Amino acid sequence: MEAKAKARFARVAPRKARMVADLVRGKSIARAREILQFSTRDAAEIISKVIESAVANAEQAEATVNTDALVVKTICVDEAPTFRRYQARAKGAAEPIRHRQSHITVVVATREEA
């Protein structure tokens, strides 16, 4: 059984979120929670919430699912539209500021399917 959750337009750069996603890909849910809890990266909190949402979706879809048997099957961090701002610089120049965003998708599955 698979369950999916998405976080769209998350205010974290995709490159930074992918570093955290690589840590939990293929791990059990308990191990992934532990890794994310002690990670100092800001993206860890966002990814943790998406994983918890996917686990809740799995429980909602099938009441007999054992959460200890779930693993992070796939975790994908895609680039979302970028906020563009400009900051004033010397001599009337402007410097672009790019606030990058991410779409984070997590799929959890039972150990047999993964």
Side-chain angles (χ1 to χ4, degrees):
M1 201 220 59
E2 286 186 357
K4 184 191 296 189
K6 291 182 181 181
R8 300 188 68 220
F9 304 102
R11 289 293 302 266
V12 62
R15 183 174 176 182
K16 295 177 181 181
R18 283 186 194 112
M19 288 193 287
V20 177
D22 291 341
L23 295 175
V24 297
R25 187 176 288 116
K27 303 281 194 297
S28 68
I29 296 300
R31 182 72 178 130
R33 285 177 179 155
E34 186 178 307
I35 290 169
L36 294 172
Q37 179 183 357
F38 294 107
S39 176
T40 58
R41 301 273 181 177
D42 290 338
E45 184 179 349
I46 297 168
I47 291 176
S48 177
K49 287 182 180 182
V50 180
I51 289 175
E52 293 301 324
S53 178
V55 170
N57 291 343
E59 290 174 349
Q60 187 72 23
E62 190 174 323
T64 60
V65 70
N66 183 8
T67 57
D68 297 332
L70 292 175
V71 296
V72 179
K73 184 177 179 183
T74 60
I75 183 166
C76 181
V77 180
D78 297 322
E79 191 169 345
T82 302
F83 283 145
R84 290 182 174 85
R85 302 285 186 268
Y86 293 96
Q87 183 175 11
R89 302 304 288 178
K91 299 182 180 179
E95 180 179 272
I97 298 173
R98 291 179 219 90
H99 297 284
R100 301 190 190 276
Q101 299 182 89
S102 303
H103 295 317
I104 302 170
T105 305
V106 174
V107 177
V108 296
T110 55
R111 214 174 286 274
E112 297 83 33
E113 291 179 9

